[in-house]
Amino acid sequence: MKQVALVTGSSRGIGRAIAARLARDGYAVCINYIEREDCARELVAQLQVEGCQVMAVQADVADRQQVNAMVRQVEEAFGPVTLLVNNAGIAGQCLFQEVSDAMWHRYFSVNVDGAFHTIQAVLPHMLREHCGCIINISSIWGQRGASCEVTYSSTKAALIGLTRSLAAELAPTHIRVNCVAPGVIDTDMLSALPPEVLPQLAEQTPMGRLGQPEDIARAVAFLASEQADFITGQVLTADGGFIL
Ligand code: NAP
């Protein structure tokens, strides 16, 4: 069967590295974005030059109609999605008392409802075929918790619960559901932090450096591969030892 991957939020950062890695591994890949069409188009052009099969689709994962339309476009162009990577996410820091209703609901809409929408959109085909792979991108902050990141950490912990429960429900159908929990990864998401914090975070990482998006792409490629055939419901932490 043709291997078709949908990677949400793959115009920049971790998702971009995952999409590029999967495309180079031979998957037909849908690169999803919400605003940065320029970045998505640039990645499509770069990978097409290398002979990869890729397309870019704009969709806000928080919106079920947009997600369904995106999945239909992928199916028409490449065929049914066999690998879904729920990577799109938003983050930010503030004191818990200052979290507004709007912030709380938007974080859950993108980070958690986004995965709910995409999984339900691709699942009918996976269930018919009795195979498929779903990988959710959580965070070490969803495993451990973080001051001033209550909203973000709550969404990332929810993804771990979703992963484990759905893995149990789908295991008899041979659809695997796993999670990658990145540590501190050098992407635009860190730009909200004061610049002096980045070297400190690298120093706090036992392996002595910030993670790169490609570090996470390798973890995703492993979980998606045949080598992980008997692995489901797991959280693979890729953090250079940060939360040990
Ligand atoms: P990033 O550099 O900020 O990139 C975010 C990506 O998500 C962009 O491609 C963006 O699209 C897309 N996106 C945002 N909201 C979206 C929406 N509603 N619908 C569709 N796409 C949307 O973030 P990142 O650092 O690569 O993070 C990727 C994932 O890894 C997130 O789930 C994040 O929580 C997780 N993570 C990151 C770190 C870290 O240290 N960086 C650590 C742990 C976990 P546009 O380009 O169109 O804006």
Side-chain angles (χ1 to χ4, degrees):
M1 197 199 314
K2 183 168 171 181
Q3 296 299 304
V4 178
L6 167 58
V7 185
T8 66
S10 45
S11 41
R12 292 183 289 121
I14 292 171
R16 185 182 177 94
I18 295 169
R21 168 65 196 251
L22 295 174
R24 289 173 181 138
D25 283 355
Y27 285 84
V29 178
C30 173
I31 292 155
N32 159 246
Y33 64 97
I34 181 165
E35 282 176 351
R36 296 297 303 273
E37 183 174 5
D38 56 331
C39 298
R41 298 268 163 233
E42 191 256 326
L43 181 59
V44 166
Q46 185 187 321
L47 290 168
Q48 281 176 341
V49 166
E50 296 177 32
C52 299
Q53 225 187 337
V54 284
M55 67 189 290
V57 180
Q58 195 268 337
D60 178 352
V61 294
D63 183 321
R64 186 187 283 281
Q65 306 309 323
Q66 292 185 34
V67 167
N68 288 345
M70 169 169 65
V71 169
R72 274 197 303 276
Q73 276 190 65
V74 180
E75 287 175 350
E76 279 161 22
F78 295 149
V81 173
T82 59
L83 168 61
L84 169 65
V85 184
N86 281 312
N87 166 81
I90 51 176
Q93 289 80 34
C94 77
L95 289 172
F96 182 64
Q97 299 95 299
E98 288 164 12
V99 175
S100 65
D101 282 4
M103 178 185 176
W104 181 266
H105 292 304
R106 181 64 186 162
Y107 275 47
F108 271 83
S109 295
V110 176
N111 296 2
V112 185
D113 297 5
F116 172 49
H117 296 151
T118 52
I119 294 169
Q120 286 197 330
V122 303
L123 209 46
H125 172 78
M126 291 184 178
L127 287 169
R128 265 196 306 277
E129 293 296 322
H130 272 219
C131 76
C133 183
I134 297 166
I135 299 172
N136 299 315
I137 307 299
S138 176
S139 166
I140 52 169
W141 305 130
Q143 292 178 293
R144 198 178 77 170
S147 165
C148 294
E149 299 213 48
V150 173
T151 313
Y152 178 72
S153 299
S154 301
T155 65
K156 291 296 169 176
L159 282 178
I160 294 174
L162 184 158
T163 299
R164 291 187 174 135
S165 303
L166 189 61
E169 190 171 314
L170 294 178
T173 68
H174 299 158
I175 299 166
R176 297 184 299 111
V177 189
N178 287 294
C179 204
V180 174
V184 186
I185 311 298
D186 194 5
T187 70
D188 295 346
M189 194 172 264
L190 299 191
S191 60
L193 300 172
E196 67 275 13
V197 172
L198 296 186
Q200 290 165 12
L201 286 168
E203 222 166 90
Q204 281 171 42
T205 305
M207 292 188 88
R209 65 170 175 89
L210 296 180
Q212 293 303 314
E214 291 71 22
D215 293 317
I216 306 308
R218 279 191 290 276
V220 168
F222 164 69
L223 285 174
S225 75
E226 280 178 6
Q227 295 182 38
D229 252 359
F230 203 50
I231 298 177
T232 195
Q234 300 306 304
V235 182
L236 177 54
T237 304
D239 70 345
F242 197 92
I243 60 165
L244 287 177

